[in-house]
Structure formats: structure tokens, C-alpha cells
Amino acid sequence: VWAMALLGNIKSGTLPNLLRALSLRRATATLVCEQTPQMRATVHMIDGKLRRVTLGDLYGEPALSQLFRWKEGYYYLIKGRIEENVGPI
């Protein structure tokens, strides 16, 4: 069962702090971030560990690095595991 747990605006420093909090809580969730409908990033976490990050054609660390540069947009968090085959970042 999927449940949206959190919705917010992206501001400088918001995403690293949010991911740190999810990690400390050992959350299993997917964070979806959007600047526009065409510019979307997803961050999959299982038991508080990053498992996959995508942003357009970028994956892993390059995608996460680019996502941390965003200064505007919004995010929402979906609790629970969405993809069964999510391997390490």
C-alpha cells in the first residue's frame, strides 16, 4: 500500500537534510522531486539506504549531485517500497 507521507517545496539545503532524516529513521520510501513535469528526479531508499537515484538521463551519484543543486521545485514522499528490483546506487 502506497501512502504519500510528506509534501514540500525545495529550498537550498532541504533535500540533503530530508534524506539524512530518512536515513536515520531507516525509512523505506521513494522521494519524487519535480521542477517541471519534464524535470523529475526519484530517490529510492530501502531501510534508510539510498538504492537508486535518477534524474533525466543521469543515474546514481551524478543524479544526486545535480538534484542537490536544485533551488526550486517541490517534492513528495511515498512511503513503502515501490520497485522490487532496486539495486544499490
Side-chain angles (χ1 to χ4, degrees):
V1 173
W2 301 347
M4 190 171 8
L6 188 63
L7 175 67
N9 290 317
I10 295 172
K11 297 176 185 163
S12 183
T14 301
L15 295 177
N17 290 335
L18 178 58
L19 292 176
R20 189 173 304 113
L22 292 171
S23 178
L24 290 173
R25 291 184 181 175
R26 303 182 98 177
T28 295
T30 297
L31 181 68
V32 180
C33 305
E34 289 190 5
Q35 285 186 325
T36 67
Q38 296 79 23
M39 184 61 70
R40 175 186 282 197
T42 57
V43 179
H44 299 276
M45 298 184 77
I46 298 174
D47 296 328
K49 295 179 181 169
L50 289 174
R51 293 298 180 188
R52 181 186 295 164
V53 181
T54 61
L55 172 57
D57 293 336
L58 299 174
Y59 296 90
E61 292 294 332
L64 189 62
S65 178
Q66 185 66 32
L67 178 59
F68 284 169
R69 291 187 183 111
W70 286 14
K71 298 198 184 316
E72 61 183 35
Y74 69 94
Y75 64 85
Y76 57 94
L77 183 73
I78 302 168
K79 291 171 97 177
R81 191 169 180 172
I82 292 180
E83 293 190 23
E84 291 299 318
N85 296 323
V86 176
I89 185 167

